Amino acid sequence: MQSHEVVLYTESLSKNFGALRAVDNVNLKVGAGVHSIIGPNGAGKTTLFNLLTGFLKPTTGDIFYLGKKIANLPPYEISQLGMSRSFQITSIFPDLTVYENVRIAVQSRLKASYNFLRSFKKLKGVDSKTKEILGRVGLSDAADSLAKNLSYGLQRGLDIGISLATDPKMILLDEPTSGMDKKDSQKVIQLISDISKEMPVILIEHNIDIVLSVSDLVTVLYMGRILAEGSPSEIRKSEKVQQAYLGGY
Ligand SMILES: Nc1ncnc2c1ncn2[C@@H]1O[C@H](COP(=O)(O)OP(=O)(O)OP(=O)(O)O)[C@@H](O)[C@H]1O
Ligand SMILES: [Mg+2]
């Protein structure tokens, strides 16, 4: 559930693309639980993610993560600080097995060791951690399948598993259920809910029913600005949200 400890916050964050101000003076505070960012197409949600993860530099404003200013760090440094973003299945190696995909991600976090015995112990650690993650994302039975043979929904689950393998302290998910049938969506939503008990999750999601059911806090972006913020029931009741956004659905 929501806690008052803020892990990530932005100060007057803005991003211009030429004359367009895609993110406009955003002050966002993210603590524990699931924090959803919603808003119509073009509202600036993905641009905001790109700013938070270092893929875009702000035009003005700042971003603080775990007390550190990160707005001008490159993506890999932000990722090393434990902020993990799940891309739409682009991080998967299709011709490797599900197990190998996760194992590679687990290993990527460990520094190479020249001490043979220590390496051996580490290798055992890698195997057990890989299996633990496969269990968490519901892929134990599919461990030996080639990634490319998984259903789309399970590939998204694998993608989240690859994110978890890097020991994140926070996870960002951009439309993790897009293109999924209801059954797969439900699995991913359950997974998001489980993960959020261990680390903050920022979720971009178009399906409003999913948002209202899984979120602790919802921020509504509209034309780059925060239009409203509150609990799912506050957002559901908000008249300006209904007019600007929910009514359009
Ligand atoms: N690299 C870019 N160069 C120019 N304009 C961009 C760029 N990226 C995004 N935009 C514009 O910025 C605005 C916000 O886009 P963004 O992708 O952040 O919206 P979004 O809320 O994620 O939308 P959607 O729900 O469709 O994914 C849009 O008008 C978009 O066309
Ligand atoms: Mg988007």
Side-chain angles (χ1 to χ4, degrees):
M1 283 312 285
Q2 223 170 299
S3 108
H4 295 290
E5 197 189 338
V6 173
V7 180
L8 172 80
Y9 66 95
T10 69
E11 272 180 3
S12 308
L13 188 65
S14 296
K15 178 67 184 178
N16 296 352
F17 295 115
L20 173 77
R21 181 157 272 219
V23 169
D24 190 1
N25 215 16
V26 165
N27 295 298
L28 187 76
K29 284 197 183 75
V30 182
V34 178
H35 186 149
S36 293
I37 313 278
I38 66 170
N41 291 325
K45 306 178 295 293
T46 299
T47 304
L48 179 60
F49 262 29
N50 285 331
L51 291 167
L52 298 179
T53 49
F55 287 85
L56 285 172
K57 300 295 158 215
T59 305
T60 55
D62 265 316
I63 308 167
F64 295 85
Y65 173 60
L66 300 173
K68 199 175 150 92
K69 208 169 173 162
I70 60 162
N72 286 304
L73 297 182
Y76 75 90
E77 279 188 35
I78 295 175
S79 151
Q80 279 169 356
L81 293 172
M83 200 195 295
S84 175
R85 171 180 183 168
S86 176
F87 289 94
Q88 304 201 321
I89 66 178
T90 47
S91 47
I92 292 173
F93 295 106
D95 291 314
L96 296 183
T97 66
V98 167
Y99 177 90
E100 287 163 339
N101 266 281
V102 175
R103 193 202 63 209
I104 287 167
V106 170
Q107 278 175 322
S108 74
R109 267 295 134 130
L110 300 172
K111 293 199 182 74
S113 167
Y114 297 102
N115 176 312
F116 176 76
L117 266 181
R118 230 192 299 155
S119 301
F120 185 70
K121 274 194 195 139
K122 262 189 189 165
L123 228 49
K124 288 208 332 204
V126 168
D127 179 60
S128 58
K129 184 157 181 206
T130 302
K131 286 179 174 154
E132 178 216 312
I133 288 168
L134 289 176
R136 283 179 74 184
V137 297
L139 284 172
S140 299
D141 291 344
D144 297 327
S145 308
L146 294 183
K148 65 182 174 191
N149 293 336
L150 293 182
S151 71
Y152 181 72
L154 292 183
Q155 286 192 18
R156 292 305 312 253
L158 175 57
D159 193 54
I160 294 173
I162 289 170
S163 287
L164 290 175
T166 60
D167 274 335
K169 296 192 177 73
M170 159 169 220
I171 199 159
L172 288 81
L173 302 165
D174 194 346
E175 299 190 37
T177 67
S178 72
M180 273 184 203
D181 62 26
K182 206 161 181 186
K183 194 164 137 259
D184 280 346
S185 295
Q186 282 308 325
K187 280 191 195 150
V188 171
I189 295 311
Q190 185 57 50
L191 178 58
I192 289 170
S193 172
D194 292 345
I195 293 171
S196 75
K197 295 185 178 83
E198 289 163 46
M199 66 190 88
V201 176
I202 314 184
L203 174 68
I204 296 178
E205 175 60 60
H206 272 292
N207 183 320
I208 198 71
D209 294 330
I210 290 178
V211 167
L212 296 177
S213 72
V214 79
S215 308
D216 295 291
L217 189 64
V218 181
T219 297
V220 184
L221 272 191
Y222 187 66
M223 296 186 5
R225 296 191 182 188
I226 295 183
L227 176 78
E229 191 165 80
S231 67
S233 63
E234 286 166 338
I235 293 301
R236 202 196 306 256
K237 278 184 279 187
S238 160
E239 248 169 55
K240 64 179 170 183
V241 175
Q242 300 223 347
Q243 275 167 13
Y245 175 50
L246 296 181
Y249 262 62

